Amino acid sequence: MRQPLRFPWSSLDVDDRSAPVIAVRVDVTGTKGEVPDHSHRKGQLVFALGGGVTCRVPSGLWMVPPHCAVWIPGGMQHSNLATENARLFFVYIEPDIVGLPGRCCTLSISPLLRELIVELCDQVGDDLARVDLLASVLLRELPRMPVQQLHLPLSSEPRLKRIAAALAKDPSDRRTLAEWSKRVALSESSLARLVVRETGLSFGRWRQQLHLIVALRELTAGASVQQVSADLGYESVAAFITMFKKALGKPPAKYLNSIVRDA
């Protein structure tokens, strides 16, 4: 079950405010929370201090584990799905005033930047000079944050959309490329070329990236490695850990701990 994410101010329209940086704290209590498809003129940084968020844009899915953030450029259609009991911060930034890409990316967030975001959310009253100072430091530090490869490329090609929807619904689906090719009425070699052309990844690597996104989302929500491994259809926990380590350089627990430690 999902509930709409609740903002501190129900009437907040970030595009109506001229401030270069607007920071909003959003806590998800109990069940999963969701912001459905929408867009705004300002760019948005989606930062998770606890729990995780999956951001969907037309070109892909982007994962926000704890102490990381996703940058969504202004004007881009997107939705956000948060895990249970997530602690989120949405930072809205005027276009063209920060040196970030014109595409989505997942960023590690340093302790300094984390404290700046939290402090901006806590600012009330008329201390505009302090707000301006915090915002200027944030804009200076943000482009320095390292990029994490935590996204799944998506395609508008109808046959790949069908496969992606099926795998997202049931990530444990282990049908082979040959089996999928029959379902979408393509030869195996044609489907393989189509996946590479549309996503830049082989079919196996594309499905593995989906597994990583799902695994990180569930692990940050408190699921055990054993549970996630079973949900993704791996024959053993060891096989899942091996896949995770090959893809991200560390087993699940060490990877998540390193994000928190290095952030």
Side-chain angles (χ1 to χ4, degrees), residues 190-210:
S190 294
L191 179 57
R193 289 193 297 270
L194 180 64
V195 174
V196 172
R197 186 176 75 237
E198 293 289 322
T199 71
L201 303 173
S202 68
F203 177 78
R205 184 69 183 86
W206 186 52
R207 179 162 57 186
Q208 181 188 90
Q209 193 69 5
L210 172 66

Side-chain angles (χ1 to χ4, degrees), residues 15-82:
D15 285 341
D16 275 350
R17 300 181 61 181
S18 59
V21 177
I22 300 170
V24 181
R25 183 196 303 265
V26 181
D27 291 325
V28 182
T29 57
T31 186
K32 297 177 180 178
E34 182 177 22
V35 178
D37 274 343
H38 66 291
S39 65
H40 31 73
R41 179 177 54 80
K42 285 180 168 66
Q44 181 180 3
L45 190 73
V46 181
F47 170 53
L49 190 56
V53 192
T54 303
C55 299
R56 185 184 183 108
V57 301
S59 61
L61 291 176
W62 300 82
M63 179 62 200
V64 192
H67 299 272
C68 286
V70 162
W71 167 246
I72 303 170
M76 180 173 289
Q77 193 81 7
H78 62 283
S79 62
N80 301 316
L81 176 62

Side-chain angles (χ1 to χ4, degrees), residues 163-184:
I163 296 173
L167 291 175
K169 184 177 181 180
D170 180 14
S172 66
D173 189 323
R174 288 292 175 169
R175 274 176 283 195
T176 65
L177 181 65
E179 291 170 326
W180 278 115
S181 68
K182 292 178 182 178
R183 286 183 64 88
V184 298

Side-chain angles (χ1 to χ4, degrees), residues 24 66 101 127 142 147 153 162 187 209-210 231:
V24 181
D127 193 354
L142 191 53
V147 175
R162 179 181 172 189
S187 70
Q209 193 69 5
L210 172 66
D231 289 346

